[in-house]
Amino acid sequence: RAGGVVRGRWSCEEKATAATRCAFKSDGERRGWFWCALHRDSFSLFGENGEMRRMPIGFEACALAATREGVLFVASDGGGVALVAHALDEPTPVEGLSDGVFVAWSDPQRSDVLFYAHSRRALELWTITLVPARSETEFSDAVPEFVSRADLRWSEGVGDDFAADAATYSLAHDENGREIILVSDNAAQRVCGLYVDADAPGGHRASGAIEGTSAMGVSGTRKGDGMLDTLVVCVDGTLALCIGTHLLCKLDATTPDGESTAGDVQFLSDSVGSGVTVHTSRRGSMRVRVPGSLASPHARALFAVLREVCSQDDFLDILRRMYASECVGADDAEAEWAYFVQVLQAWCEIAVKPRAVHELDDWEFSQRLLKVGVDSLSARTSDSNVNATRASVVLDAVHTIYEASKVDLLTRCMLKPLREFAMSLVDAIGTTREAYADYYARDSGASIAPLSVAAAPLQVPDLLRAVEGIFTGQSDFHTLVPPLILAGLEENAHVDANIFGGDVVVRARRVVKLCHVSTLGATNSSTSGGALACAMVDMGFTLEDLERLPPGLSLPFHGILRRCRDSPANGWPVEAYKLIGRQDLALMHGDDDFIRDERQRRVSRAPAATTRIQPDSASVSDGLEHLEEFVGPLRFPRDYRIRELRSILSTATPVPIQLDETEGAGGDAEQGSQQQSKLWLLAARTAAMPVGRGAASLGTVIAKPTEALLVPTLCLAGCLPTQQYAVVNLDLTAADAPKDFVNWPEFHNGAAAGLALRSDDDSGKLTRAWIVFNRPKLPTFSHAGVLMAFGLNGHLSSLTATDLYRYLAQEHEATTVGTLLGVAASKLGTGDSATSRMCFLHLPTRHPMSFPEIELPSLVQSCALLSVGLLYQGTAQRLIVETLLSELGKSPEGDVINGRECYALSAGIALGLVTLGRGHSASGLSDLHIAERLRHFIVGGVARHVPPPGGVPSSSAARKSTSGAAGWQESYPSDDAWTNSTGGVVEDQTASVDGYILEGSMVNVDLSAPGAIMALGLMYLKTNDASVSAHLEIPSTHYGLDDARPDYVMLRVVAKSLIMWDTVEPSASWIEGLLPPLLRDAMDVKSPEEQEAQNDSSWLGEADREAIAQTYVNVLAGGCMSIGLRFAGSSNPDASATLRHYAFKFLEWKKKVGQDGGEPLVNKSMLETCIGIVAMALSCVMAGTGDLPTLRLLRHLRSRMETSASANTGLTYGAHMAIGLANGFLFLGGGAQTFSTDDASIAALLISMFPRFPSDPNDNRWYCQAYRHLYALAAKDRLLHTIDATTLQPVSSPVEITTVISQGKETTMQLITPCLLPDPAALASIKIISPRYWSIHLDFALMHADTKDALYKRRNIPIQRHTAALSYEIDRTGAKAQLATALHAAGARAALKPPSAEASIDHNTAPVANATAARAGRDAVDVFTSDAVLLAFARHMGDGASDRAGFTAAALRECMHREVPDALRTYVDMYASCEALIHSTENSEARANAAALAVNDLRLLSAFSELLKKSGLDEHDVETTFP
C-alpha cells in the first residue's frame, strides 16, 4: 500500500512469520524489488511485476533481514546466519558471525547489520560482504562463486534488563548530519542513540541523552538533504520532533475523528519516509505523517541560505518557531511565505506594521538631489526593540536570494515578495541600510524616497551590474557580487561552491563564473566557445539551465557557444556538444542507446526469411526477392540495378529459349532436339548462377526461429516466348546427358540460401535448435551446401558433437564436405582439439598403424586437409606444418585415379593457411626449410620423401610407398643440393608404384606445383621478401618456358605479387612490367625480323610461339588477379579502369581467334578463363559498390552463349560460374558488404578465386567446387549510413573519405551515403561536405583509437541538417529550398521592427507586412522543420494580425534563415522589453517591474556588444556571436 492506494496483493501457500522488502543483484546491478515472506523452512518472493517464486532454505528460520548483499536468515536453533545473494542461490553461511545472535536492524540499501548477541549482552554492528570463492580444483560445480563474510565494526554493551526482542530500532541523523541508530527499549521506556561511524565524536559511542520512552527516525525538516529527524515519545505521552538531541516542537497526532492523542502515546514503530506508526493505550495504533520541509520556492531558498549564515543555535531557534507556527504544512505557497515572514520577523523582534509609502513632490525631490535633509518629512528611525544583528543577517540573506533570482527566469516571480520583505527589514533596521531602500525602490519603479543626510554611502550588491562589469572589463566587479554568491569562487575557498547556499545561490554563482569564462576567450573565435561549453559541463549546466537565463545573458552565451558550432574539437563531453547545438556529435560520441537502437533499426530494415516482394505475377521464390527491400531506396536511388541483378542471378524460373528461323524450320522431332540442345547450353549457365547469388544475398535475411529454411528452386527448364511461354523441361535421362548433373549445382543453391541467413540477436548466431530443426531426414546436396554456409557464417559453433556425428554418419560425400569445411570455418584459427580430431579422422594417411582401414572419397580427404588449414590458420604449429608438408605431393588413400590434383592443392593451401603471413618469423620452423622444399615442389627434381611427424611412417598408406624408408638428415641441404643431388639426402631411384599409376623418380610438378605455389605465396604474404619471391620468377628464356606450364606461370605471378604486396600498382604499366622481353606483345603479329630480334639468342631451335603466347596471356591474367586481390574492396578507380581495359582486350583477342583460318596461338577456352579471372578481379575491387560500368560489362559477358552444343567457345559451366561469382561480388551482401585486405581475408579470396574452373558440374578433379564459397570469410559489413540526428532516419549526404595507400600516400574519394567504408587500416579521415548539413570531420590520427572501432561497429554517422535546408530525398536540386527562402522575404523584413510608441500592444500598424510575415513564418516551419517547438511557436505566437504576431513570425523566419533558432527567444524577449519600456509610464506595478528588468537586460547586451567590438574579431565572427 502506497499513499493509501493498494499497489499489490499476494497470498502465501503457507503462513508467513515475517516479511521484508529486498532486492537482488545481477551483474553488479539491482534487478527490481521484491517482497520476501518467511515461512518455517522456506521463503516466498513476490516481484513488483507479478513474478512469484518459492525457494527452500534448508533449515528452520526464525527471522530474516534485507541487506544490500542479499537476504539474511537466522536459524531457529541458534545455528547461525545464512545469506541468499540471489533468488535462485542456496543459502551460504556468513563467516565470522557467532551463533546466538538476533537481527536488531538492517537496511536493504546498506551492508551494515545491527545484531544483538545474547551471550555477550551487547549490540554489535557488522558489515556483510561477498568475496570470490577459492577452489582448489579447476572445475567444481559444488563450490559457490562467492562466500559471505561479516566484519565487526563496533560493539556496545547494554544492561542486563535490556529486552532486545521488545525494542525498536531506527536510523536517524544528529544536528551535524552524523548517522545514529536509535534503540528504543520499550520495556524499560528509555531511548539511546549509537553512532554508526567507528570514529564517534569524543570517543563515545552513545549520543547525547534523548528524553523519551520511544524514538524513530523520520524524514522531516531535512528531507531535501536526505537526513532523518528524530520523532520522540516524551515521558508525558506526547510527540516531539527533534534534530539530534535538540527539541524543535511538539506534535499532536489526531485520530480520523479529530480526537487528540496527546498524553496517550506509548511507542513508535515502522518508520518509512515521513510516516510512522503511533501506538496508543486507548485508541490502538494509527499511521501519522510528520510535516515535511517548506514548499514555497522563495521560502525554501531563503531557508537554505539562513542555514549557512546562522549559527547552529540560531538556526535551530528558527526551526522551532517554524514548526511551532503554521508555517510548515500551510495550504498554499503564498500562505506559507506569509507565515515564514512572520516567523523571521518575530525572530528579529520586529513588530509587524503596515509600511507607508511617502510620495515626493518636486521640492522634496530636488532637496534630495541636493543632499539637503528633510528629516521632518521622511527621516527613518529604527525601532529600538529590533534585534538589528539578526535583522541584518536576514536582510543579507534575503538580498542574496533577491539578486540570485534575477538571473533565472523561473525565479523572477520571487522578486516582488522578496523585495517587500527586504524593504520591511530596511525600515526596521533604520538609516544604516537606507541605500537598500533606494535600490529596491528603483527596482520596483516606485517613487524614490530621500536619503538621510547622516547616512553613510553604502554600496548595495547588484549582481547584474557585476556581470555588466565583467563584460566591460572592470577589475572591481566582485565588490558588487553578494558575498554569499561570491563565496566558493575564490581559489582557496573553504566552502563547496556546488552546494553552499542552496540551489538558487549555486545557480547564480555558476552564472558569475560562466560570465568570467566567456570573457577570457572572447578574442579567440575558435576556443572561447569550447571553453565555455566545457565549463558549463563541469558545472552541470545543461540546455534547460541555459534557457532559464534572462535574454541579457542567454544571447551572449548562445553567441559564444555558436562560434565553435561549425568545427568543434574532438574529445569533448557529450553534453558540451548538446550545448553548442550539435546533437549529431552528441549522438556520435556517447549515446549508447543510439548505438543499440540503430542496430535494432538496421535489423528491422532487413527482411525476414519469408518476406516476399512480388512486383510481377511470379510466385516462386528465387532467393533475391527480398534484396530490393534490404537495399532500400538510398543505396541505388536513380536506377533499377538491383532488379537487373535479380534477373541475371535468378534460377527459379524457366529461361526463355530463343530459336532462329533456321533452327525451328524442321519437324517436331527436330525442333525438340534443337530445343534440348539449346536448353543444355542454358542449363550450364543456370546451374552456375547460385554461386553468385550466395555472394549477392550474403547476410541479407533474418532467420525466423519459428519457420523452416526455404531453399529456392533450381529450375533448369526453359520456356518458349513464341508459344505463350510454354515450358520445356530439360531431359536429364538422355543418353548423352552428364551423370548427376544437378548434384553440385544443388549444393551451391543450398549454400546460397544458407549464406543469406543471419540472426537478429546480439551474438548474430543461429541457435542449435533451429539448425537441427531444419535437418532433412535424408541427406541431400542442397542441405550439404546449407551446412557449409552456416559454418562460414559461424553458426555451426553451436552444434554439439552428437549433432555433428549424425551428419557424418550419413556417409554422404557432399554432407561430409559441407560439415568438415563448415565446422572448421566456424572455429577458424582456434585449433579446437575436438574439431581437429574430426578432420584427421577423414585423412587415412594420418591414421595410426592399428587403426582399421577405411575407404573415403578423395574429395572428402582433400576437404579434410583444407579444414585442418582453416582450423589452425595463422598458428604455425610445427606438428601441423610437418603433417601438411608430408601430404603435399602424396596421393590420397583409396581412389588414386581421380582427385590427386585436388588433394595436393588442398595440402598446399592448408600449409599456407597454417603459416599465413608468418614468413621467416614463424618460431620453431626454421629447421624445416619450408621455402626450399616448396621450391623443389615447384621447379621439380628428384623426388624425396617427406616423412610424417616423428620421422617414421604412421599408417598403412606409408607402407605402400617404396620410398618410405628414406628420411631427411638433421642438416638440411643447401639450395644447390637440389640440382646436383649431393646434399646427403637419400634419393629414390626406383619408380613409385602407387595403385594403378606408375611414376618415375622425379617430382610430378603437375601435381605439386599449384599447391606449393599457393603455400609459398600465403606463407610470405605481405612480407615483401625479395629472396623468396625470386623462386617465383616468370620464365624469361625458351628453356624456362619448356619447364613451366602457362597456367602455373599465372599462379607464380599471383603468389609473387602477394609476397611483394607493396609493389603492386593499379596500372597497365605495372602489369606490362611483369613481362620479360621474350613475352612482350606475344599476341601481336610480328615480322620475322622482329621475332628474331626478340628470340633468346641461346635457343638454337625454332621459337615455340604458341607457348610464348599462352604464357603471355596467363601473365596478364595473373597480373589482373593480383591487382584485384591487392585492391580488394577499395573501389580504386585506377584499378577498375585497368582491369576493364584488359577485359576488353581479352574479349577482342577471343573475337579474333580463328578469323584467319589458321591454328590459333591461344585457344578460346584459355582466353575465356582469362576473361573470367579478370571479371572476378574487377568485381573484387568494386565489391559491394554495384558499379554501373562493371555491371554493364558483366551483363555483356553473361549474355554470350554457345552457338551450338558442338561449338567450342570456352563458355563452359566453369566460365559461367566465374561470371556469376563476379556479379555476386559486385553486389556483395546486397551492396552492404565488401572485402577486407587483412591476411585472413586475402587468403580466403585467393582460395575462392583460384584460376581453375570446372568443365562441368561434376568436375572436382583440380579444385573442389565447395571452396568457391570461402569468400564469405573475407566479406565484412562496411555500409556507412548517415542518420538524421533529429528523425534518426537514414539520409543521403556527400562525404569525403581519405585513405592511406602504400608508402604513406593519401587519396581522397567523394561519395554519396550510403557508401562503403575502406579497410580500417587504410581509413585516414571522413568528412561531411554537404552544404545542407553541419560539417563533421573525423580525423582518426588525432582521435582516440576507440573512435574508429566504434565507427566500424556502428557504421553510421549522425548528421544535423541546417535549419534552412532540406534533405536530398525531398529536394535533390535545392530549388525548393531556394524558393521557400526567397518567398515573402521583403515583407518579412518589413515586419521585423520594434513596437511603435504610439500604438497599443494589439494594434496593427502594418497589415500588409504583418500578413506577409505570418505567411513567411508558416512557410519556413512547414517546409524546413519538423521541430515541435518551432511548430508550436509559429502556431501560437505568429498567428494573428497584430504587430507582435507579425514581428514574431518575421523573427522566426529570420532565425531559421540565419541558422540561429536559439536566438528566437531573445528576439521575442527584446520586443517584450521594448513594449514594457514604452508602456512603463502606465499606472501598473507589473509593467514597471518588467521595465526595470528590461533595462538591465539591455545594459548587459550593450556591454557585451562593446566587448565584441574591442575583441578584434572579424565581422563574420561578430555577426555569428551577436546576430
Side-chain angles (χ1 to χ4, degrees):
R1 181 184 297 272
V5 179
V6 176
R7 300 297 177 87
R9 183 181 284 110
W10 301 277
S11 60
C12 300
E13 299 177 358
E14 184 181 345
K15 180 180 179 181
T17 58
T20 185
R21 192 166 181 253
C22 63
F24 297 103
K25 287 184 178 180
S26 178
D27 298 331
E29 299 180 1
R30 291 183 178 271
R31 302 297 186 187
W33 289 92
F34 295 87
W35 282 100
C36 181
L38 175 64
H39 311 297
R40 185 176 59 89
D41 57 356
S42 63
F43 66 94
S44 298
L45 289 176
F46 305 95
E48 295 178 344
N49 57 356
E51 179 183 2
M52 300 178 62
R53 184 180 299 152
R54 184 171 180 178
M55 299 295 296
I57 303 177
F59 56 86
E60 293 188 8
C62 62
L64 80 166
T67 69
R68 186 174 61 186
E69 309 301 334
V71 181
L72 293 174
F73 295 94
V74 182
S76 302
D77 56 358
V81 181
L83 176 73
V84 174
H86 190 273
L88 299 179
D89 290 346
E90 295 182 358
T92 58
V94 180
E95 299 178 358
L97 277 177
S98 59
D99 299 340
V101 294
F102 169 78
V103 178
W105 169 86
S106 67
D107 191 316
Q109 298 181 347
R110 301 173 64 101
S111 299
D112 298 326
V113 182
L114 183 67
F115 291 97
Y116 174 71
H118 297 277
S119 59
R120 294 181 291 276
R121 308 293 297 175
L123 289 171
E124 299 174 345
L125 187 67
W126 295 77
T127 299
I128 308 298
T129 56
L130 296 178
V131 296
R134 296 182 179 179
S135 173
E136 297 180 357
T137 60
E138 184 178 0
F139 303 103
S140 177
D141 296 334
V143 178
E145 298 179 358
F146 60 88
V147 294
S148 52
R149 186 180 65 194
D151 298 313
L152 180 64
R153 296 187 61 180
W154 51 258
S155 177
E156 185 74 15
V158 294
D160 294 338
D161 58 344
F162 179 73
D165 53 351
T168 57
Y169 309 87
S170 178
L171 184 69
H173 296 81
D174 68 357
E175 58 274 12
N176 296 317
R178 294 189 294 269
E179 293 180 333
I180 56 176
I181 297 178
L182 300 173
V183 181
S184 301
D185 188 353
N186 296 324
Q189 294 189 345
R190 61 188 177 191
V191 179
C192 70
L194 302 176
Y195 283 100
V196 174
D197 293 335
D199 51 345
H204 302 288
R205 177 65 49 201
S207 63
I210 301 177
E211 300 294 335
T213 61
S214 180
M216 296 293 292
V218 294
S219 178
T221 63
R222 298 175 291 177
K223 181 178 181 181
D225 300 328
M227 298 183 185
L228 299 176
D229 300 332
T230 304
L231 184 63
V232 181
V233 179
C234 300
V235 178
D236 57 359
T238 59
L239 295 176
L241 184 64
C242 303
I243 294 182
T245 59
H246 298 273
L247 176 64
L248 290 182
C249 62
K250 291 280 189 176
L251 298 179
D252 186 12
T254 58
T255 64
D257 300 332
E259 185 179 357
S260 175
T261 59
D264 191 31
V265 180
Q266 289 185 317
F267 64 94
L268 306 174
S269 66
D270 302 328
S271 172
V272 178
S274 60
V276 66
T277 300
V278 177
H279 299 269
T280 63
S281 60
R282 292 177 299 171
R283 300 171 182 83
S285 60
M286 67 186 69
R287 194 72 179 172
V288 300
R289 188 173 299 277
V290 176
S293 57
L294 296 169
S296 171
H298 28 309
R300 190 167 58 249
L302 181 57
F303 180 80
V305 175
L306 290 174
R307 182 176 56 191
E308 302 291 352
V309 299
C310 293
S311 62
Q312 183 175 345
D313 294 337
D314 288 343
F315 181 68
L316 290 176
D317 189 14
I318 295 175
L319 274 177
R320 293 191 190 98
R321 294 173 182 268
M322 283 174 52
Y323 280 86
S325 67
E326 300 180 6
C327 178
V328 180
D331 295 336
D332 53 34
E334 293 184 2
E336 183 184 77
W337 170 251
Y339 286 126
F340 188 55
V341 169
Q342 293 177 7
V343 167
L344 293 179
Q345 287 177 337
W347 184 68
C348 297
E349 302 175 9
I350 299 175
V352 181
K353 58 183 179 179
R355 180 180 182 274
V357 179
H358 180 70
E359 297 292 338
L360 299 179
D361 56 21
D362 295 341
W363 171 254
E364 293 171 339
F365 184 73
S366 62
Q367 292 298 314
R368 177 187 177 280
L369 294 179
L370 295 174
K371 297 185 179 180
V372 176
V374 285
D375 297 342
S376 59
L377 297 176
S378 59
R380 291 188 178 89
T381 59
S382 61
D383 189 347
S384 59
N385 296 324
V386 174
N387 190 328
T389 302
R390 290 184 174 182
S392 297
V393 171
V394 175
L395 177 59
D396 291 337
V398 172
H399 186 73
T400 299
I401 300 299
Y402 180 77
E403 291 300 313
S405 300
K406 290 182 178 181
V407 295
D408 190 347
L409 293 178
L410 296 184
T411 58
R412 281 189 169 184
C413 60
M414 305 185 332
L415 292 177
K416 182 180 178 180
L418 288 171
R419 183 170 58 245
E420 291 176 349
F421 182 34
M423 293 178 72
S424 68
L425 292 173
V426 171
D427 287 342
I429 294 174
T431 56
T432 57
R433 294 296 184 98
E434 196 172 31
Y436 281 82
D438 177 71
Y439 178 79
Y440 294 132
R442 291 177 182 274
D443 276 359
S444 64
S447 299
I448 303 173
L451 295 174
S452 174
V453 176
L458 180 64
Q459 189 177 29
V460 180
D462 188 344
L463 186 60
L464 294 181
R465 290 295 178 90
V467 173
E468 182 182 350
I470 295 176
F471 288 160
T472 56
Q474 296 179 8
S475 58
D476 58 345
F477 70 90
H478 58 277
T479 59
L480 293 173
V481 180
L484 289 178
I485 297 178
L486 192 62
L489 295 178
E490 302 90 348
E491 294 183 0
N492 299 322
H494 299 288
V495 296
D496 190 349
N498 294 321
I499 60 174
F500 182 74
D503 296 339
V504 178
V505 175
V506 168
R507 179 177 174 80
R509 185 179 297 122
R510 291 174 177 173
V511 170
V512 174
K513 186 174 182 179
L514 290 176
C515 291
H516 184 62
V517 172
S518 65
T519 58
L520 293 179
T523 57
N524 193 327
S525 61
S526 60
T527 61
S528 59
L532 180 60
C534 293
M536 287 182 172
V537 173
D538 292 339
M539 298 178 186
F541 214 79
T542 63
L543 276 175
E544 291 75 12
D545 296 325
L546 193 59
E547 294 301 321
R548 290 170 58 178
L549 294 176
L553 291 174
S554 65
L555 184 61
F557 284 173
H558 274 300
I560 295 174
L561 294 173
R562 199 180 299 121
R563 284 190 199 170
C564 59
R565 187 162 54 174
D566 288 336
S567 55
N570 294 316
W572 285 1
V574 174
E575 293 298 328
Y577 292 115
K578 293 181 180 179
L579 286 171
I580 66 174
R582 294 300 300 271
Q583 184 67 20
D584 52 346
L585 296 178
L587 289 173
M588 181 189 302
H589 285 92
D591 199 332
D592 295 334
D593 293 336
F594 166 74
I595 299 175
R596 182 178 61 254
D597 295 343
E598 174 56 26
R599 186 189 67 82
Q600 295 174 353
R601 283 191 295 273
R602 189 182 298 117
V603 168
S604 65
R605 288 197 295 267
T610 56
T611 301
R612 297 287 181 271
I613 301 177
Q614 303 292 346
D616 303 322
S617 60
S619 59
V620 180
S621 171
D622 60 1
L624 294 174
E625 65 276 1
H626 65 280
L627 201 57
E628 203 164 353
E629 180 186 359
F630 173 82
V631 172
L634 300 181
R635 186 70 175 99
F636 308 113
R638 299 187 180 184
D639 49 51
Y640 297 101
R641 67 186 75 182
I642 294 297
R643 296 184 183 179
E644 182 67 22
L645 173 72
R646 185 181 177 189
S647 66
I648 292 174
L649 298 178
S650 177
T651 59
T653 56
V655 183
I657 303 176
Q658 301 292 342
L659 298 177
D660 54 24
E661 297 180 357
T662 59
E663 292 176 332
D668 293 342
E670 184 178 351
Q671 286 185 2
S673 176
Q674 291 172 351
Q675 291 171 3
Q676 286 295 320
S677 177
K678 198 77 171 181
L679 195 56
W680 273 108
L681 298 177
L682 294 172
R685 185 180 70 182
T686 302
M689 288 300 107
V691 181
R693 193 183 76 239
S697 61
L698 181 63
T700 58
V701 179
I702 299 296
K704 285 190 174 182
T706 58
E707 297 183 4
L709 171 64
L710 177 63
V711 178
T713 303
L714 182 61
C715 179
L716 300 179
C719 63
L720 300 174
T722 59
Q723 299 181 20
Q724 297 182 351
Y725 292 92
V727 177
V728 179
N729 293 319
L730 182 66
D731 186 8
L732 296 175
T733 62
D736 57 346
K739 184 181 178 181
D740 300 329
F741 181 82
V742 298
N743 284 352
W744 279 100
E746 285 289 355
F747 180 93
H748 300 310
N749 193 38
L755 288 172
L757 294 183
R758 61 188 177 92
S759 178
D760 60 347
D761 61 1
D762 294 335
S763 65
K765 304 295 173 48
L766 299 177
T767 62
R768 170 189 174 274
W770 191 85
I771 297 175
V772 174
F773 170 75
N774 283 278
R775 183 177 60 210
K777 294 181 180 179
L778 296 177
T780 62
F781 275 82
S782 177
H783 190 71
V786 171
L787 281 177
M788 180 179 177
F790 285 171
L792 293 176
N793 286 332
H795 304 315
L796 290 189
S797 59
S798 60
L799 294 184
T800 63
T802 305
D803 299 327
L804 298 177
Y805 171 77
R806 289 173 180 171
Y807 280 116
L808 298 175
Q810 295 174 346
E811 297 185 1
H812 185 255
E813 181 181 20
T815 301
T816 304
V817 167
T819 303
L820 289 175
L821 293 176
V823 174
S826 64
K827 302 292 183 65
L828 186 69
T830 61
D832 180 66
S833 58
T835 307
S836 177
R837 289 192 297 270
M838 181 185 69
C839 295
F840 280 107
L841 179 65
H842 293 81
L843 292 174
T845 60
R846 310 315 310 159
H847 290 172
M849 298 278 294
S850 60
F851 199 84
E853 292 190 22
I854 58 176
E855 292 291 336
L856 290 173
S858 62
L859 186 62
V860 171
Q861 298 180 45
S862 301
C863 293
L865 273 178
L866 185 62
S867 300
V868 171
L870 293 173
L871 185 64
Y872 290 94
Q873 178 174 295
T875 60
Q877 289 195 17
R878 182 183 179 94
L879 177 64
I880 305 301
V881 171
E882 291 182 359
T883 300
L884 295 175
L885 270 174
S886 67
E887 296 302 312
L888 186 60
K890 181 187 294 185
S891 64
E893 180 75 8
D895 185 5
V896 297
I897 298 178
N898 297 319
R900 297 186 65 200
E901 299 86 350
C902 183
Y903 189 87
L905 177 64
S906 300
I909 294 175
L911 177 61
L913 291 176
V914 174
T915 59
L916 183 62
R918 302 296 290 270
H920 295 298
S921 64
S923 59
L925 302 181
S926 59
D927 61 319
L928 294 180
H929 302 278
I930 299 176
E932 288 77 7
R933 292 187 181 185
L934 293 178
R935 179 178 179 272
H936 184 61
F937 284 122
I938 295 173
V939 301
V942 179
R944 290 167 174 81
H945 172 63
V946 181
V952 180
S954 59
S955 69
S956 58
R959 293 194 297 267
K960 297 182 180 180
S961 176
T962 58
S963 60
W968 293 101
Q969 63 180 18
E970 293 296 328
S971 173
Y972 197 77
S974 63
D975 191 53
D976 295 335
W978 289 113
T979 57
N980 55 28
S981 300
T982 59
V985 179
V986 179
E987 299 181 6
D988 184 11
Q989 301 294 343
T990 32
S992 174
V993 181
D994 193 357
Y996 300 98
I997 297 179
L998 178 63
E999 294 183 346
S1001 60
M1002 305 299 290
V1003 173
N1004 189 349
V1005 294
D1006 287 341
L1007 297 177
S1008 61
I1013 293 173
M1014 294 282 284
L1016 197 62
L1018 292 176
M1019 181 177 180
Y1020 290 89
L1021 177 64
K1022 299 181 182 180
T1023 59
N1024 298 298
D1025 193 326
S1027 61
V1028 176
S1029 67
H1031 298 332
L1032 301 170
E1033 288 292 342
I1034 302 173
S1036 58
T1037 64
H1038 292 286
Y1039 293 102
L1041 288 180
D1042 272 358
D1043 295 332
R1045 285 177 45 170
D1047 52 344
Y1048 291 180
V1049 174
M1050 179 198 304
L1051 292 179
R1052 291 192 187 187
V1053 172
V1054 175
K1056 181 178 180 180
S1057 301
L1058 294 179
I1059 297 173
M1060 306 300 293
W1061 182 264
D1062 294 336
T1063 64
V1064 179
E1065 297 178 2
S1067 62
S1069 60
W1070 178 82
I1071 295 179
E1072 298 294 336
L1074 297 174
L1075 297 166
L1078 179 64
L1079 301 179
R1080 291 175 185 171
D1081 302 326
M1083 293 294 289
D1084 297 340
V1085 179
K1086 300 182 181 65
S1087 63
E1089 294 78 10
E1090 293 174 338
Q1091 185 65 38
E1092 183 65 27
Q1094 191 176 10
N1095 284 339
D1096 183 8
S1097 58
S1098 63
W1099 181 254
L1100 301 179
E1102 183 180 355
D1104 188 354
R1105 292 194 58 201
E1106 183 178 350
I1108 294 175
Q1110 291 180 1
T1111 306
Y1112 170 69
V1113 296
N1114 277 278
V1115 170
L1116 295 183
C1120 292
M1121 185 174 176
S1122 302
I1123 292 178
L1125 293 172
R1126 172 63 178 84
F1127 298 96
S1130 65
S1131 305
N1132 188 289
D1134 296 333
S1136 62
T1138 301
L1139 295 176
R1140 276 196 299 271
H1141 164 72
Y1142 280 102
F1144 289 119
K1145 198 169 186 177
F1146 281 119
L1147 282 173
E1148 182 182 359
W1149 285 339
K1150 184 180 178 183
K1151 185 178 180 181
K1152 293 180 180 179
V1153 170
Q1155 289 184 356
D1156 55 359
E1159 187 68 23
L1161 297 177
V1162 182
N1163 58 29
K1164 290 185 177 182
S1165 179
M1166 181 172 290
L1167 289 174
E1168 187 61 38
T1169 300
C1170 296
I1171 292 173
I1173 293 171
V1174 176
M1176 287 194 301
L1178 176 58
S1179 294
C1180 191
V1181 173
M1182 308 303 293
T1185 62
D1187 181 57
L1188 276 181
T1190 304
L1191 178 60
R1192 294 189 184 102
L1193 173 61
L1194 296 179
R1195 182 175 59 181
H1196 167 69
L1197 295 179
R1198 177 188 175 273
S1199 65
R1200 300 170 305 142
M1201 291 297 299
E1202 299 276 9
T1203 57
S1204 65
S1206 60
N1208 183 18
T1209 61
L1211 288 171
T1212 61
Y1213 167 77
H1216 289 301
M1217 180 182 288
I1219 303 304
L1221 192 59
N1223 278 283
F1225 284 177
L1226 187 61
F1227 291 88
L1228 187 66
Q1233 300 185 30
T1234 190
F1235 291 127
S1236 178
T1237 54
D1238 57 77
D1239 291 355
S1241 299
I1242 292 299
L1245 274 178
L1246 177 63
I1247 299 171
S1248 63
M1249 293 172 59
F1250 186 77
R1252 184 79 184 200
F1253 304 117
S1255 59
D1256 59 73
N1258 293 318
D1259 184 8
N1260 289 294
R1261 177 181 177 183
W1262 287 92
Y1263 177 85
C1264 178
Q1265 294 184 39
Y1267 298 170
R1268 293 289 175 198
H1269 299 282
L1270 292 180
Y1271 62 82
L1273 300 177
K1276 309 295 180 183
D1277 284 320
R1278 293 281 174 79
L1279 188 62
L1280 175 67
H1281 288 276
T1282 45
I1283 308 297
D1284 190 291
T1286 303
T1287 63
L1288 298 182
Q1289 294 298 320
V1291 293
S1292 295
S1293 173
V1295 295
E1296 185 177 87
I1297 298 179
T1298 303
T1299 57
V1300 179
I1301 57 178
S1302 59
Q1303 299 177 355
K1305 297 179 181 179
E1306 292 187 352
T1307 180
T1308 300
M1309 299 179 294
Q1310 291 188 357
L1311 305 172
I1312 303 294
T1313 59
C1315 62
L1316 294 173
L1317 289 169
D1319 265 350
L1323 181 61
S1325 66
I1326 297 179
K1327 185 177 183 180
I1328 303 297
I1329 57 174
S1330 172
R1332 305 187 189 187
Y1333 294 91
W1334 287 101
S1335 176
I1336 297 178
H1337 188 200
L1338 302 178
D1339 190 350
F1340 298 106
L1342 306 177
M1343 304 174 71
H1344 196 274
D1346 294 340
T1347 306
K1348 183 185 290 189
D1349 297 337
L1351 175 66
Y1352 277 85
K1353 179 181 178 181
R1354 189 175 57 215
R1355 297 186 301 281
N1356 58 61
I1357 298 179
I1359 58 177
Q1360 184 171 334
R1361 181 166 52 88
H1362 288 296
T1363 309
L1366 296 173
S1367 66
Y1368 289 94
E1369 291 71 39
I1370 298 175
D1371 185 15
R1372 183 166 296 277
T1373 63
K1376 187 175 181 180
Q1378 294 177 4
L1379 179 62
T1381 303
L1383 195 63
H1384 312 307
R1389 284 192 295 269
L1392 197 63
K1393 61 181 181 179
S1396 176
E1398 295 81 10
S1400 62
I1401 292 179
D1402 296 328
H1403 191 67
N1404 187 2
T1405 60
V1408 177
N1410 292 335
T1412 304
R1415 287 196 298 270
R1418 286 194 300 270
D1419 290 344
V1421 296
D1422 291 343
V1423 173
F1424 293 110
T1425 186
S1426 58
D1427 192 323
V1429 176
L1430 296 179
L1431 292 173
F1433 181 89
R1435 183 170 61 254
H1436 296 291
M1437 298 292 294
D1439 190 11
S1442 64
D1443 289 348
R1444 177 187 290 177
F1447 177 85
T1448 53
L1452 174 61
R1453 179 196 173 279
E1454 182 75 9
C1455 291
M1456 294 184 64
H1457 176 65
R1458 299 176 63 180
E1459 199 62 37
V1460 286
D1462 47 66
L1464 182 59
R1465 184 176 68 87
T1466 305
Y1467 274 89
V1468 178
D1469 288 342
M1470 289 298 98
Y1471 189 88
S1473 299
C1474 293
E1475 284 185 335
L1477 290 174
I1478 292 173
H1479 301 283
S1480 61
T1481 56
E1482 299 178 5
N1483 189 16
S1484 172
E1485 183 179 0
R1487 292 192 181 281
N1489 294 338
L1493 294 174
V1495 170
N1496 289 325
D1497 290 333
L1498 292 175
R1499 289 176 62 92
L1500 290 177
L1501 292 178
S1502 176
F1504 183 71
S1505 177
E1506 292 298 324
L1507 173 65
L1508 292 180
K1509 293 178 181 178
K1510 297 177 181 179
S1511 62
L1513 298 175
D1514 56 27
E1515 184 177 353
H1516 177 266
D1517 289 335
V1518 173
E1519 181 69 15
T1520 302
T1521 308
F1522 204 68

